[in-house]
Amino acid sequence: MSNYGLDSEAKAFSYTREELFNTIKRIVAHPHKTLTSHDEARALAILVVFDDYLTNYTESDNNGGYCVYDCDAMDFTEFVRFKLGIDDYDAVDVDDILK
């Protein structure tokens, strides 16, 4: 497991919201090891934005209220690859991104 990621070998959703929060908090604080209340506030804000995104995404397609599932809209790793210019299917590791 990387310093900043969740356990990729774990069963899906076997980690808790607290573990996800702590991971985001460590990333926000990077490269510092001491976590501050500001780091915690930013991590909480990130969680709220993702919750809004995922809730809006799963509850409506803004066209009649039907749930639409489009894998590309939920593939954040692919989005990161695109933003960083990483080839398709190459591994994306948070530790490498934060170097």
Side-chain angles (χ1 to χ4, degrees):
M1 184 166 79
S2 71
N3 291 325
Y4 297 100
L6 295 166
D7 183 0
S8 61
E9 300 298 318
K11 181 179 172 187
F13 298 106
S14 63
Y15 47 84
T16 66
R17 289 180 293 184
E18 191 69 30
E19 290 169 315
L20 177 61
F21 170 65
N22 287 330
T23 298
I24 293 171
K25 192 167 49 173
R26 288 193 314 272
I27 292 169
V28 167
H30 179 80
H32 308 288
K33 299 295 181 196
T34 302
L35 303 176
T36 68
S37 60
H38 293 138
D39 299 326
E40 185 170 306
R42 288 188 291 267
L44 290 170
I46 290 167
L47 286 173
V48 168
V49 170
F50 269 103
D51 183 61
D52 286 348
Y53 176 85
L54 295 172
T55 299
N56 288 335
Y57 178 80
T58 58
E59 289 182 356
S60 174
D61 68 351
N62 295 320
N63 187 19
Y66 297 102
C67 181
V68 174
Y69 185 78
D70 175 6
C71 290
D72 290 340
M74 298 296 285
D75 189 347
F76 291 107
T77 301
E78 185 60 32
F79 180 75
V80 170
R81 281 189 193 102
F82 169 75
K83 296 298 274 184
L84 297 177
I86 298 172
D87 290 333
D88 287 346
Y89 306 110
D90 283 352
V92 176
D93 185 86
V94 176
D95 292 321
D96 291 338
I97 294 170
L98 294 174
K99 285 184 180 176

